[in-house]
């Protein structure tokens, strides 16, 4: 009899569904492994420790930017200004290389500028209740404009990515562990613990789940949101520094291609764009999935157009599977 | 003054006042546009009919993109694949027209419009069937349509039929009335007026303002949503055609139209929450943004500040708008 019960449990769709809903990391990791196995079959011997190092190095900036989306999406928002803020940070830092203050001063200026942009966004979203989508979009226009102006001002001084950033962004320890983990691991711990263990993190979930209930229970949404968008902008700036080190370029449109994938990574990672559900751990796996997927499509030798089509289709399929499994409409 | 005339005048006022209140935002925009044009004439006395013509041709693609976005936003959705659909339809059009006769070009245009409806319907069907949030589906589909555009041609090229180019270039009757403005008005009116007067148009607003209530009143929510997306696809195809018509070629890389269309829709008084707004407001908003750009060129302000200005105007208008809304709801 016990055997029969056990067999039933394995076949019980509801139990599986609950598992997937409560522990989204399990199916996500499964999908990631499936992709890795496929790439290994497509090109035997490609999956080695250095290969993982390269994948992780490429995933780090995407995961941080997707972290911005995760945090804002938890409150029912979104941050479309991450790409321009990230590019701005990398670019501004690069223009300070030849100045007396050096790149450290540049980094300080970049982070301060990002925080200021986040503050304005936060005030717009939190105090004036402007839709986050449109507020962050407008902020991305403003930041892009100012970056362009800064570029014209700085055209004589010349710019270069500081070697320290290049080291952090592109070098691997023992060919496996990217040095960007020096930044990424503390950030990850901070976000994970911040979301799970602090009151602030819980309030983010509360605002996203039911803003009215949150307000009636005395949550000061404006303050929470202002801090949130400052955090998001600073995270985006850090990601931008890593991207400019990784690619060894500094331009005002450097991170533009990361914008849509960052939203996609957060969505694939199980964060609901409606707010109230999700987490950063899933997002990291989501970023890894997207990076491995891109690598797989390259290994398969598909031309760029087909790659884009497959990429988009897979995002739809995964998101649809998610919605089906979790039963959320 | 007799009592009768006072009553008559009050009646007229009573009829106009609600209309003005309902369309207050758009009226304000039109007024602002008028002021801007006067200001343009003041700072650049040589700004005349040719300037107006350039303006009308310049705004055509974005205005149609904004109309496309407005339809789907009113139904409570959002379409982040408009730019990619425009690129796809534009390259299909330019590629098929290359080296073909003028008559064949008519078939191409009709085919491209059908293609637009199909693209939009695919977006809508995916949103309805998968129940994934609109923004995620259309974001992913923007990759797919952009990929399709690159499949059709890897580099900008192709050609546009002579009559298609002449449709948007030049003026009509008076040199103050650019053809592209007429084209825009006709396209929007011919498609949108019958739709908005029909049951389907009302249903689009209904599912936008309250999905559940619409469903319980017997409105086929899924079918209406599909229709709204298909209509968005049609307008995106028209926007793509206008790109080919005004440039003479097809470019496979999506321009900044997706995000700009969202901005224009919001500036045009369409609520991102759905169920409110019209198509006229977004068009006026696109023209306003373009005139501001032109003015900054005349004032020889660094063109990069135009981006800053665009963003600040967007932020400022929205902050004032939502502030006014908050005060009204409190009062």
């Amino acid at each position: 009899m016990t055997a029969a019960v056990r067999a039933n449990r394995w076949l019980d769709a509801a139990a599986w569904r609950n598992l997937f809903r409560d522990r989204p990391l399990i199916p996500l990791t499964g999908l990631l492994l499936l992709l890795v196995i496929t790439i290994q079959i497509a090109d035997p011997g490609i999956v080695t420790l250095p290969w993982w190092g390269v994948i992780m190095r490429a995933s780090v900036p995407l995961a941080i930017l997707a972290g911005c989306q995760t945090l804002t999406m938890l409150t029912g928002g979104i941050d479309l200004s991450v790409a321009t803020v990230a590019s701005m940070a990398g670019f501004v830092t690069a223009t300070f290389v030849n100045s007396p203050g050096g790149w450290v001063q540049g980094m300080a200026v970049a982070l301060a500028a990002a925080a200021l942009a986040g503050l304005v966004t936060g005030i717009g979203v939190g105090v004036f209740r402007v839709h986050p989508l449109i507020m962050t979009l407008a902020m991305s226009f403003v930041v892009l404009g100012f970056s362009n102006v800064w570029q014209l001002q700085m055209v004589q001084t010349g710019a270069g990515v500081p070697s320290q950033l290049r080291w952090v962004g592109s070098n691997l320890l023992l060919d496996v562990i990217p040095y960007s983990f020096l930044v990424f691991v503390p950030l990850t711990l901070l976000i994970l613990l911040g979301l799970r263990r602090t009151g602030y993190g819980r309030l983010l979930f509360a605002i996203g789940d039911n803003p009215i209930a949150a307000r009636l229970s005395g949550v000061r949404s404006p303050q929470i949101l202002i801090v949130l968008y400052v955090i998001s902008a600073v995270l985006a700036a850090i990601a931008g520094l890593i991207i400019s080190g990784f690619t060894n370029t500094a331009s005002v449109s450097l991170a533009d291609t990361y914008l849509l994938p960052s939203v996609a990574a957060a969505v694939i990672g199980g964060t609901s764009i409606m707010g109230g559900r999700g987490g950063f751990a899933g997002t990291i796996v989501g970023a890894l999935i997207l990076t491995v997927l891109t690598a797989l499509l390259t290994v398969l030798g598909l031309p760029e157009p087909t790659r884009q089509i497959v990429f988009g289709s897979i995002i739809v399929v995964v998101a649809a599977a998610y919605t089906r499994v979790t039963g959320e409409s | 003054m007799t009592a009768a005339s006072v009553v008559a005048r009050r009646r007229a006022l009573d009829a106009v006042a609600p209309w003005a209140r309902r369309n207050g935002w758009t009226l304000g925009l039109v007024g602002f546009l008028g002021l801007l044009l006067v200001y343009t004439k003041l700072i650049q006395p040589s700004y005349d009919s040719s300037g107006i013509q350039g303006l009308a041709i310049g705004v055509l693609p974005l205005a149609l993109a904004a109309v496309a976005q407005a339809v789907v936003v009113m139904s409570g959705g959002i379409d982040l694949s408009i730019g990619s659909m425009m690129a796809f339809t534009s390259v299909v059009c330019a590629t098929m027209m290359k080296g073909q006769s003028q008559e064949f070009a008519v078939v191409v245009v009709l085919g491209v419009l059908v293609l637009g409806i199909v693209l939009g319907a695919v977006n809508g069907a995916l949103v309805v069937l998968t129940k994934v949030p609109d923004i995620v589906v259309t974001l992913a589909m923007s990759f797919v349509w952009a990929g399709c555009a690159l499949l059709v041609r890897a580099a900008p090229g192709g050609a546009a039929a002579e009559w298609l180019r002449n449709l948007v270039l030049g003026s009509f009757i008076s040199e103050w009335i650019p053809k592209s403005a007429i084209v825009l008005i006709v396209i929007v009116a011919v498609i949108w007026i019958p739709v908005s007067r029909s049951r389907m148009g009302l249903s689009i607003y209904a599912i936008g303002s309250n999905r559940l209530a619409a469903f319980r009143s017997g409105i086929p929510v899924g079918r209406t949503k599909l229709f709204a997306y298909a209509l968005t696809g049609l307008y995106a195809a028209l926007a793509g055609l206008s790109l080919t018509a005004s440039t003479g070629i097809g470019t496979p890389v999506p321009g900044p139209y997706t995000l700009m269309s969202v901005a224009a829709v919001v500036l045009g008084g369409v609520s991102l929450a759905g169920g409110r707004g019209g198509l006229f407001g977004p068009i006026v908003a696109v023209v306003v943004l373009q005139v501001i750009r032109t003015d900054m060129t005349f004032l020889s302000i660094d063109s990069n500040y135009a981006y800053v200005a665009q963003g600040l105007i967007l932020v400022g208008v929205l902050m004032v708008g939502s502030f006014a809304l908050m005060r009204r709801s409190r009062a």
Side-chain angles (χ1 to χ4, degrees), chain A residues 23-92:
Chain A
R23 300 245 175 280
L25 275 182
I26 296 173
L28 280 178
T29 316
L31 177 63
L32 179 61
L33 288 179
L34 191 72
L35 284 172
V36 172
I37 291 169
T38 319
I39 205 170
Q40 172 73 14
I41 293 169
D43 187 1
I46 189 179
V47 180
T48 55
L49 276 180
W51 180 81
W52 273 111
V54 172
I55 290 290
M56 285 191 290
R57 182 178 65 186
S59 303
V60 163
L62 179 59
I64 299 177
L65 289 178
C68 302
Q69 307 296 358
T70 307
L71 293 178
T72 46
M73 272 158 65
L74 283 178
T75 65
I78 191 168
D79 193 342
L80 293 184
S81 64
V82 288
T84 46
V85 169
S87 311
M88 179 276 291
F91 183 71
V92 166

Coordinates of all heavy atoms in Angstrom, one line a residue, chain A residues 23-92:
Chain A
R23 N 9.4 26.4 -4.6 CA 10.8 26.3 -4.8 C 11.1 26.5 -6.3 O 11.6 25.6 -6.9 CB 11.4 25.0 -4.3 CG 11.1 24.7 -2.9 CD 12.4 24.6 -2.1 NE 12.2 24.5 -0.7 CZ 11.8 25.5 0.2 NH1 11.7 26.7 -0.3 NH2 11.6 25.3 1.4
P24 N 11.0 27.7 -6.8 CA 11.2 27.9 -8.2 C 12.6 27.6 -8.6 O 12.9 27.4 -9.8 CB 10.8 29.4 -8.5 CG 10.9 30.0 -7.1 CD 10.6 29.0 -6.1
L25 N 13.6 27.6 -7.6 CA 15.0 27.4 -8.0 C 15.2 26.0 -8.5 O 16.1 25.8 -9.4 CB 15.8 27.6 -6.7 CG 16.3 29.0 -6.4 CD1 17.1 29.0 -5.2 CD2 17.0 29.6 -7.6
I26 N 14.4 25.0 -8.1 CA 14.6 23.6 -8.6 C 14.3 23.5 -10.1 O 15.2 23.1 -10.8 CB 13.7 22.7 -7.7 CG1 14.2 22.7 -6.3 CG2 13.8 21.2 -8.3 CD1 13.3 21.9 -5.3
P27 N 13.1 23.9 -10.6 CA 13.0 23.8 -12.0 C 13.9 24.6 -12.8 O 14.4 24.3 -13.9 CB 11.5 24.2 -12.2 CG 11.1 24.9 -11.0 CD 11.9 24.3 -9.9
L28 N 14.2 25.8 -12.3 CA 15.1 26.7 -13.0 C 16.5 26.1 -13.1 O 17.1 26.1 -14.2 CB 15.3 28.1 -12.2 CG 14.1 29.0 -12.4 CD1 14.4 30.3 -11.6 CD2 14.0 29.4 -13.9
T29 N 17.0 25.5 -12.0 CA 18.3 24.9 -12.1 C 18.3 23.7 -13.1 O 19.2 23.4 -13.8 CB 18.8 24.4 -10.7 OG1 18.5 25.5 -9.8 CG2 20.2 24.1 -10.6
G30 N 17.1 23.0 -13.1 CA 16.9 21.9 -14.0 C 17.1 22.4 -15.4 O 17.8 21.8 -16.2
L31 N 16.4 23.5 -15.7 CA 16.5 24.1 -17.1 C 17.9 24.5 -17.4 O 18.4 24.2 -18.5 CB 15.6 25.3 -17.1 CG 15.5 26.1 -18.5 CD1 15.0 25.2 -19.6 CD2 14.7 27.3 -18.4
L32 N 18.6 25.1 -16.4 CA 20.0 25.5 -16.7 C 20.8 24.3 -17.0 O 21.6 24.3 -18.0 CB 20.5 26.2 -15.4 CG 22.0 26.7 -15.5 CD1 22.2 27.7 -16.6 CD2 22.4 27.3 -14.2
L33 N 20.7 23.2 -16.2 CA 21.5 22.0 -16.5 C 21.1 21.4 -17.8 O 22.0 20.9 -18.6 CB 21.2 20.9 -15.4 CG 21.8 21.3 -14.0 CD1 21.5 20.2 -13.0 CD2 23.3 21.5 -14.2
L34 N 19.8 21.4 -18.2 CA 19.4 20.9 -19.5 C 20.2 21.7 -20.6 O 20.7 21.1 -21.6 CB 17.9 21.1 -19.6 CG 17.2 20.4 -20.8 CD1 17.2 18.9 -20.6 CD2 15.8 20.9 -21.0
L35 N 20.2 23.0 -20.5 CA 20.9 23.8 -21.5 C 22.4 23.5 -21.5 O 23.0 23.4 -22.6 CB 20.7 25.3 -21.2 CG 19.4 25.9 -21.5 CD1 19.3 27.3 -21.0 CD2 19.2 25.9 -23.0
V36 N 23.0 23.3 -20.3 CA 24.4 22.9 -20.3 C 24.7 21.6 -21.0 O 25.6 21.4 -21.7 CB 24.9 22.9 -18.8 CG1 26.3 22.4 -18.8 CG2 24.8 24.3 -18.3
I37 N 23.8 20.6 -20.7 CA 23.9 19.3 -21.3 C 23.8 19.4 -22.8 O 24.6 18.8 -23.6 CB 22.9 18.3 -20.7 CG1 23.2 18.0 -19.3 CG2 22.8 17.0 -21.5 CD1 22.1 17.3 -18.5
T38 N 22.8 20.2 -23.3 CA 22.6 20.4 -24.7 C 23.9 21.0 -25.3 O 24.3 20.5 -26.4 CB 21.4 21.3 -25.0 OG1 20.4 21.0 -24.1 CG2 21.0 21.2 -26.4
I39 N 24.5 22.0 -24.7 CA 25.6 22.6 -25.3 C 26.8 21.6 -25.3 O 27.6 21.6 -26.2 CB 26.0 23.9 -24.5 CG1 26.7 24.9 -25.4 CG2 26.8 23.7 -23.3 CD1 26.9 26.2 -24.8
Q40 N 26.9 20.7 -24.3 CA 27.9 19.7 -24.2 C 27.7 18.7 -25.4 O 28.7 18.3 -26.0 CB 27.9 19.0 -22.9 CG 28.8 17.8 -22.7 CD 30.2 18.2 -22.6 OE1 30.5 19.4 -22.4 NE2 31.1 17.3 -22.8
I41 N 26.5 18.4 -25.7 CA 26.2 17.4 -26.8 C 26.5 18.1 -28.1 O 27.1 17.5 -29.0 CB 24.7 17.0 -26.7 CG1 24.5 16.1 -25.5 CG2 24.4 16.2 -28.0 CD1 23.1 15.8 -25.2
A42 N 26.2 19.4 -28.2 CA 26.4 20.1 -29.5 C 27.9 20.3 -29.8 O 28.3 20.3 -30.9 CB 25.7 21.5 -29.4
D43 N 28.6 20.5 -28.7 CA 30.1 20.7 -28.9 C 30.8 20.0 -27.8 O 31.2 20.6 -26.8 CB 30.4 22.2 -28.9 CG 31.8 22.5 -29.2 OD1 32.6 21.5 -29.5 OD2 32.2 23.7 -29.2
P44 N 31.0 18.6 -27.9 CA 31.6 17.8 -26.9 C 32.9 18.4 -26.3 O 33.7 18.8 -27.1 CB 31.8 16.5 -27.5 CG 30.8 16.4 -28.7 CD 30.7 17.8 -29.1
G45 N 33.0 18.4 -25.0 CA 34.2 18.9 -24.4 C 34.3 20.4 -24.1 O 35.2 20.9 -23.6
I46 N 33.2 21.1 -24.5 CA 33.2 22.5 -24.3 C 33.0 22.9 -22.8 O 33.6 23.9 -22.3 CB 32.2 23.3 -25.2 CG1 32.4 24.8 -25.1 CG2 30.8 22.9 -24.8 CD1 31.5 25.6 -26.0
V47 N 32.2 22.1 -22.1 CA 31.9 22.5 -20.7 C 33.1 22.1 -19.8 O 33.2 20.9 -19.5 CB 30.6 21.8 -20.3 CG1 30.3 22.1 -18.8 CG2 29.5 22.2 -21.2
T48 N 33.9 23.1 -19.5 CA 35.0 22.8 -18.6 C 34.9 23.9 -17.5 O 34.1 24.8 -17.6 CB 36.3 23.0 -19.3 OG1 36.3 24.3 -19.9 CG2 36.5 21.9 -20.4
L49 N 35.8 23.8 -16.5 CA 35.8 24.9 -15.5 C 36.1 26.3 -16.0 O 35.3 27.2 -15.7 CB 36.8 24.5 -14.4 CG 36.2 23.5 -13.3 CD1 37.3 23.2 -12.3 CD2 35.0 24.1 -12.6
P50 N 37.1 26.4 -16.9 CA 37.3 27.8 -17.5 C 36.0 28.3 -18.2 O 35.7 29.5 -18.2 CB 38.4 27.6 -18.4 CG 39.2 26.4 -17.9 CD 38.1 25.5 -17.3
W51 N 35.3 27.3 -18.9 CA 34.1 27.7 -19.6 C 33.1 28.3 -18.6 O 32.5 29.3 -18.9 CB 33.5 26.5 -20.3 CG 32.2 26.8 -21.1 CD1 32.1 27.4 -22.3 CD2 30.9 26.6 -20.6 NE1 30.8 27.5 -22.7 CE2 30.0 27.0 -21.7 CE3 30.3 26.1 -19.5 CZ2 28.6 27.0 -21.6 CZ3 28.9 26.0 -19.4 CH2 28.1 26.4 -20.4
W52 N 32.9 27.6 -17.5 CA 32.0 28.1 -16.4 C 32.5 29.5 -16.0 O 31.7 30.4 -15.7 CB 32.0 27.2 -15.2 CG 31.0 26.1 -15.4 CD1 31.2 24.8 -15.6 CD2 29.6 26.3 -15.4 NE1 30.0 24.1 -15.7 CE2 29.0 25.0 -15.6 CE3 28.7 27.4 -15.2 CZ2 27.6 24.8 -15.6 CZ3 27.3 27.2 -15.3 CH2 26.8 25.9 -15.5
G53 N 33.8 29.7 -15.9 CA 34.4 31.0 -15.5 C 33.9 32.1 -16.5 O 33.5 33.2 -16.0
V54 N 34.0 31.8 -17.8 CA 33.6 32.8 -18.8 C 32.1 33.1 -18.7 O 31.7 34.2 -18.8 CB 34.0 32.2 -20.2 CG1 33.5 33.2 -21.2 CG2 35.5 32.2 -20.3
I55 N 31.4 32.0 -18.5 CA 29.9 32.2 -18.4 C 29.6 33.0 -17.2 O 28.8 34.0 -17.3 CB 29.2 30.8 -18.3 CG1 29.3 30.0 -19.6 CG2 27.7 31.0 -17.9 CD1 28.5 30.6 -20.7
M56 N 30.2 32.7 -16.1 CA 29.9 33.5 -14.8 C 30.3 35.0 -15.0 O 29.6 35.9 -14.6 CB 30.6 32.9 -13.6 CG 30.0 31.6 -13.2 SD 30.6 31.0 -11.6 CE 32.2 30.5 -12.0
R57 N 31.5 35.2 -15.7 CA 32.0 36.5 -15.9 C 30.9 37.3 -16.7 O 30.7 38.5 -16.4 CB 33.3 36.5 -16.6 CG 33.9 37.9 -16.8 CD 35.3 37.7 -17.5 NE 35.1 37.2 -18.8 CZ 36.1 36.9 -19.6 NH1 37.4 37.0 -19.1 NH2 35.9 36.4 -20.8
A58 N 30.4 36.7 -17.7 CA 29.4 37.4 -18.5 C 28.1 37.6 -17.8 O 27.3 38.5 -18.1 CB 29.2 36.6 -19.8
S59 N 27.8 36.7 -16.9 CA 26.5 36.7 -16.2 C 26.5 37.8 -15.1 O 25.4 38.3 -14.7 CB 26.2 35.4 -15.5 OG 26.2 34.4 -16.5
V60 N 27.6 38.1 -14.5 CA 27.6 39.0 -13.3 C 27.0 40.3 -13.6 O 26.0 40.7 -12.9 CB 29.1 39.2 -12.8 CG1 29.2 40.4 -11.9 CG2 29.5 37.9 -12.0
P61 N 27.4 41.1 -14.6 CA 26.7 42.4 -14.8 C 25.2 42.2 -15.1 O 24.4 43.0 -14.6 CB 27.4 43.0 -16.0 CG 28.3 42.0 -16.6 CD 28.5 40.9 -15.6
L62 N 24.9 41.2 -15.9 CA 23.5 41.0 -16.2 C 22.7 40.7 -15.0 O 21.6 41.2 -14.8 CB 23.3 39.8 -17.2 CG 21.9 39.4 -17.6 CD1 21.2 40.6 -18.3 CD2 21.9 38.3 -18.6
A63 N 23.3 39.9 -14.1 CA 22.6 39.5 -12.8 C 22.4 40.7 -12.0 O 21.3 40.9 -11.3 CB 23.4 38.5 -12.1
I64 N 23.4 41.6 -11.9 CA 23.2 42.8 -11.1 C 22.1 43.7 -11.7 O 21.2 44.2 -10.9 CB 24.5 43.6 -11.0 CG1 25.6 42.8 -10.3 CG2 24.3 44.9 -10.2 CD1 26.9 43.5 -10.3
L65 N 22.1 43.9 -13.0 CA 21.1 44.7 -13.6 C 19.7 44.1 -13.4 O 18.7 44.8 -13.2 CB 21.4 45.0 -15.1 CG 22.5 45.9 -15.4 CD1 22.8 46.0 -16.9 CD2 22.3 47.3 -14.8
A66 N 19.7 42.7 -13.6 CA 18.4 42.0 -13.3 C 18.0 42.2 -11.9 O 16.8 42.1 -11.6 CB 18.5 40.6 -13.7
G67 N 19.0 42.3 -11.0 CA 18.7 42.6 -9.6 C 17.9 43.9 -9.4 O 17.0 44.0 -8.6
C68 N 18.3 44.9 -10.1 CA 17.6 46.2 -10.1 C 16.1 45.9 -10.5 O 15.2 46.4 -9.8 CB 18.2 47.2 -11.1 SG 19.9 47.6 -10.9
Q69 N 15.9 45.1 -11.6 CA 14.6 44.9 -12.0 C 13.8 44.1 -10.9 O 12.6 44.3 -10.7 CB 14.6 44.1 -13.3 CG 15.4 44.7 -14.4 CD 14.8 46.0 -14.9 OE1 13.8 46.5 -14.4 NE2 15.5 46.7 -15.8
T70 N 14.5 43.1 -10.3 CA 13.9 42.2 -9.3 C 13.3 43.1 -8.2 O 12.2 43.0 -7.8 CB 14.9 41.2 -8.8 OG1 15.4 40.5 -9.9 CG2 14.2 40.2 -7.9
L71 N 14.2 44.0 -7.7 CA 13.8 44.8 -6.5 C 12.7 45.7 -6.8 O 11.7 45.8 -6.1 CB 15.0 45.6 -6.0 CG 16.2 44.8 -5.4 CD1 17.3 45.8 -5.0 CD2 15.7 44.0 -4.2
T72 N 12.7 46.3 -8.0 CA 11.7 47.3 -8.4 C 10.4 46.5 -8.7 O 9.3 46.9 -8.4 CB 12.1 48.2 -9.5 OG1 12.7 47.4 -10.5 CG2 13.0 49.2 -9.1
M73 N 10.5 45.3 -9.4 CA 9.4 44.5 -9.7 C 8.7 44.0 -8.5 O 7.4 43.8 -8.5 CB 9.8 43.4 -10.7 CG 9.8 43.8 -12.2 SD 10.8 42.8 -13.2 CE 10.0 41.3 -13.1
L74 N 9.4 43.8 -7.4 CA 8.7 43.3 -6.2 C 7.7 44.3 -5.7 O 6.7 43.9 -5.1 CB 9.8 43.1 -5.1 CG 10.6 41.8 -5.2 CD1 11.6 41.7 -4.1 CD2 9.7 40.6 -5.2
T75 N 7.9 45.6 -6.0 CA 7.0 46.6 -5.5 C 6.0 46.9 -6.6 O 5.2 47.8 -6.5 CB 7.6 47.9 -5.2 OG1 8.2 48.4 -6.3 CG2 8.7 47.7 -4.1
G76 N 6.0 46.1 -7.7 CA 5.1 46.3 -8.8 C 5.6 47.3 -9.8 O 4.9 47.8 -10.7
G77 N 6.9 47.7 -9.7 CA 7.5 48.7 -10.6 C 8.4 48.0 -11.6 O 8.3 46.8 -11.9
I78 N 9.2 48.8 -12.2 CA 10.2 48.3 -13.2 C 11.2 49.5 -13.3 O 10.8 50.6 -13.1 CB 9.6 48.0 -14.6 CG1 10.5 47.3 -15.5 CG2 9.0 49.2 -15.3 CD1 9.8 46.6 -16.7
D79 N 12.4 49.2 -13.7 CA 13.4 50.3 -13.9 C 14.0 50.2 -15.3 O 14.9 49.5 -15.6 CB 14.5 50.2 -12.8 CG 15.3 51.4 -12.8 OD1 15.3 52.2 -13.7 OD2 16.0 51.6 -11.7
L80 N 13.5 51.1 -16.2 CA 14.0 51.2 -17.5 C 15.2 52.1 -17.7 O 15.7 52.3 -18.8 CB 12.8 51.6 -18.5 CG 11.7 50.7 -18.7 CD1 10.7 51.2 -19.7 CD2 12.1 49.3 -19.0
S81 N 15.6 52.7 -16.6 CA 16.8 53.6 -16.7 C 18.1 52.9 -16.4 O 19.1 53.5 -16.4 CB 16.6 54.8 -15.7 OG 16.6 54.4 -14.4
V82 N 18.1 51.6 -16.1 CA 19.3 50.9 -15.6 C 20.4 51.0 -16.7 O 21.5 51.2 -16.4 CB 19.1 49.4 -15.2 CG1 18.3 49.3 -13.9 CG2 18.4 48.7 -16.3
A83 N 20.0 50.8 -18.0 CA 21.0 50.7 -19.0 C 21.7 52.1 -19.2 O 22.9 52.1 -19.2 CB 20.4 50.3 -20.4
T84 N 21.0 53.2 -19.2 CA 21.6 54.4 -19.4 C 22.4 54.8 -18.2 O 23.5 55.4 -18.3 CB 20.6 55.6 -19.8 OG1 19.5 55.5 -18.9 CG2 20.1 55.5 -21.2
V85 N 21.9 54.5 -17.0 CA 22.7 54.8 -15.8 C 24.0 54.0 -15.8 O 25.0 54.6 -15.4 CB 21.8 54.5 -14.5 CG1 22.7 54.6 -13.3 CG2 20.6 55.5 -14.4
A86 N 23.9 52.7 -16.2 CA 25.1 51.9 -16.2 C 26.1 52.5 -17.2 O 27.3 52.6 -16.8 CB 24.7 50.5 -16.5
S87 N 25.7 52.8 -18.4 CA 26.6 53.3 -19.4 C 27.2 54.6 -18.9 O 28.4 54.8 -19.0 CB 25.9 53.6 -20.7 OG 25.1 52.5 -21.1
M88 N 26.3 55.5 -18.3 CA 26.8 56.8 -17.8 C 27.9 56.5 -16.7 O 29.0 57.2 -16.8 CB 25.6 57.5 -17.1 CG 25.9 58.9 -16.5 SD 26.5 58.8 -14.9 CE 25.1 58.2 -14.0
A89 N 27.7 55.6 -15.8 CA 28.7 55.4 -14.8 C 30.0 54.9 -15.4 O 31.1 55.5 -15.0 CB 28.2 54.3 -13.8
G90 N 30.0 54.0 -16.3 CA 31.2 53.5 -16.9 C 31.9 54.6 -17.7 O 33.1 54.8 -17.6
F91 N 31.1 55.4 -18.4 CA 31.7 56.5 -19.2 C 32.3 57.6 -18.3 O 33.5 58.0 -18.6 CB 30.6 57.1 -20.1 CG 31.1 58.1 -21.0 CD1 32.0 57.8 -22.1 CD2 30.8 59.4 -20.8 CE1 32.4 58.7 -22.9 CE2 31.3 60.4 -21.7 CZ 32.1 60.1 -22.7
V92 N 31.6 58.0 -17.3 CA 32.1 59.1 -16.5 C 33.4 58.7 -15.8 O 34.3 59.5 -15.7 CB 31.0 59.5 -15.4 CG1 31.6 60.4 -14.3 CG2 29.9 60.2 -16.1

